[in-house]
Amino acid sequence: MIRFEAFERLGAAVAAISDRSDGDCGLRTASSVSEAIAARQAVCGSCGVDSDSLVCAQQTHGTATVCVDASQRGRGAREWESGLPDTDGLITRSRGLPLAMFVADCVPVYLLDPETGGGGLVHAGREGTYRGISPLAVEAMQREFGTKPTDLHALIGPSAGPCCYEVSPELAHAFAEAGLPVDGRHLDLWQANAQQLTAAGLSPGRITVSGICTICDGRFHSHRAQPNAGRNMALLML
């Protein structure tokens, strides 16, 4: 597990992501639901988080962002079916409410507004990035919390890097046509999200890219690198 201590110093109680050594945190990818729950409990326990309080989404590679509070505590924590449907972004101002996203090469984007006390966690995969889920989550924070984009901090977590993420010529062309960074057939999802967040009003100096490629780093579950890959749990709690 990696704790993003610099992000935590900005005001998050916990900003972290699990790795392969922590087990498979995906309820639908682990060999059993009990295995995934045990992995979640271990990761959360090491962060001082109650795993039964996790708010999780039924991720669909879409762009829907949902504002959650304590009334959603535990959604999707122990069974996928109770997760928030058709959701790939979660935002909140509730202290002590842990948000979780599950990734295996897709980009976890952490958002924090120290001024309003709001935060968010976004699952920005290839499709979500292409459709602009990160700036849409910023818009949701503006709408729900009155967030000023210039007050926001963003962290682009471990995910498929431009070093390894090769796609079809057609997809690379589509990204290039959309003005997103492409090098030959390699997508740069890190800079694509950073570019979109900057366009949404964030200061480039407040956007941190972890620079860790889940495909070649070896520490993380990776859909590209491993058959039947598990899921890393991205975790944010204010």
Side-chain angles (χ1 to χ4, degrees):
M1 181 184 66
I2 293 178
R3 293 280 295 264
F4 301 110
E5 295 178 358
F7 208 70
E8 292 176 350
R9 286 195 293 270
L10 293 169
V14 176
I17 187 169
S18 68
D19 59 34
R20 291 174 68 189
S21 69
D22 298 306
D24 183 356
C25 291
L27 290 172
R28 304 180 87 186
T29 54
S31 60
S32 67
V33 169
S34 60
E35 177 188 313
I37 291 174
R40 293 181 181 194
Q41 288 173 334
V43 172
C44 288
S46 67
C47 297
V49 171
D50 176 11
S51 63
D52 285 338
S53 293
L54 291 171
V55 180
C56 311
Q58 296 177 8
Q59 300 165 212
T60 59
H61 297 278
T63 60
T65 294
V66 175
C67 182
V68 297
D69 56 28
S71 66
Q72 281 88 31
R73 188 180 296 275
R75 294 283 298 269
R78 284 182 166 265
E79 62 282 317
W80 185 86
E81 291 77 12
S82 69
L84 295 166
D86 299 321
T87 299
D88 287 87
L90 299 170
I91 62 172
T92 191
R93 272 198 300 190
S94 296
R95 309 293 295 183
L97 184 68
L99 311 180
M101 288 286 170
F102 300 90
V103 293
D105 292 336
C106 291
V107 185
V109 179
Y110 303 72
L111 299 169
L112 182 66
D113 177 5
E115 298 303 316
T116 66
L121 186 58
V122 173
H123 166 236
R126 182 176 70 200
E127 295 176 35
T129 297
Y130 182 76
R131 296 166 63 188
I133 187 172
S134 290
L136 288 172
V138 173
E139 289 180 11
M141 292 183 69
Q142 290 178 276
R143 183 173 60 251
E144 297 290 339
F145 310 145
T147 290
K148 296 178 182 177
T150 51
D151 291 332
L152 272 172
H153 294 268
L155 169 67
I156 295 169
S159 46
C163 50
C164 298
Y165 195 33
E166 186 176 12
V167 298
S168 69
E170 295 77 15
L171 185 57
H173 178 72
F175 264 68
E177 285 288 295
L180 297 171
V182 178
D183 183 6
R185 289 172 53 189
H186 286 247
L187 304 186
D188 189 342
L189 298 183
W190 301 342
Q191 289 305 317
N193 280 278
Q195 177 179 305
Q196 291 171 336
L197 289 167
T198 299
L202 275 72
S203 167
R206 294 190 173 203
I207 301 172
T208 300
V209 178
S210 69
I212 301 172
C213 175
T214 49
I215 299 174
C216 65
D217 181 271
R219 286 177 290 174
F220 297 90
H221 296 287
S222 168
H223 179 72
R224 283 290 184 100
Q226 304 139 19
N228 304 313
R231 294 295 181 268
N232 313 297
M233 180 171 64
L235 183 64
L236 177 69
M237 186 173 76
L238 304 177

